[in-house]
Amino acid sequence: MTDTATYQTVAKVSDLEPGELMYVEAGDAFICLINMDGEIHALDDTCTHEEASLSDGTIIDGEIECPLHGGAFDIRTGEPTAFPVVVAVEKYDVRIEGDEIQVKVP
Ligand code: FES
């Protein structure tokens, strides 16, 4: 299968301070961008438990806590870390080009 994913610019590095998160869209993807200690991560914005937006959540010790029921995901991997979340959230590749944050989406 061919990899048709491409990098798309979603924000500027200067828009997202360490400890901040932001909702962005790229292609058909709804994304929660997270600046964790200066490293940018991109997770699917929709919680895998129910319909909640992770960009409304809270960053705590390397995890993002869902605003609805307190489930949580590892920001580096998207793996679930706290009940009631049991399914990993999709993680997207991120690259920085100059001052642009780019996310690889299908
Ligand atoms: Fe995220 Fe329930 S919707 S933990």
Side-chain angles (χ1 to χ4, degrees):
M1 215 169 87
T2 336
D3 183 5
T4 54
T6 52
Y7 282 95
Q8 294 191 21
T9 300
V10 292
K12 289 190 183 312
V13 175
S14 51
D15 291 340
L16 199 62
E17 298 290 324
E20 286 186 346
L21 37 80
M22 176 192 280
Y23 172 77
V24 295
E25 294 179 7
D28 292 334
F30 305 127
I31 296 169
C32 173
L33 267 191
I34 302 163
N35 184 334
M36 185 169 72
D37 304 327
E39 237 175 65
I40 311 291
H41 299 270
L43 300 176
D44 203 78
D45 188 58
T46 309
C47 185
T48 57
H49 178 233
E50 281 179 19
E51 290 285 315
S53 183
L54 293 182
S55 51
D56 292 331
T58 311
I59 301 170
I60 305 169
D61 291 337
E63 298 176 5
I64 181 154
E65 188 181 271
C66 176
L68 205 50
H69 308 109
F73 301 88
D74 186 308
I75 291 173
R76 286 202 162 79
T77 63
E79 291 297 321
T81 54
F83 194 75
V85 165
V86 289
V87 176
V89 74
E90 184 159 3
K91 183 144 197 327
Y92 300 95
D93 288 340
V94 175
R95 74 179 183 193
I96 307 298
E97 289 285 321
D99 187 40
E100 294 186 346
I101 300 171
Q102 299 183 339
V103 177
K104 193 176 185 186
V105 288

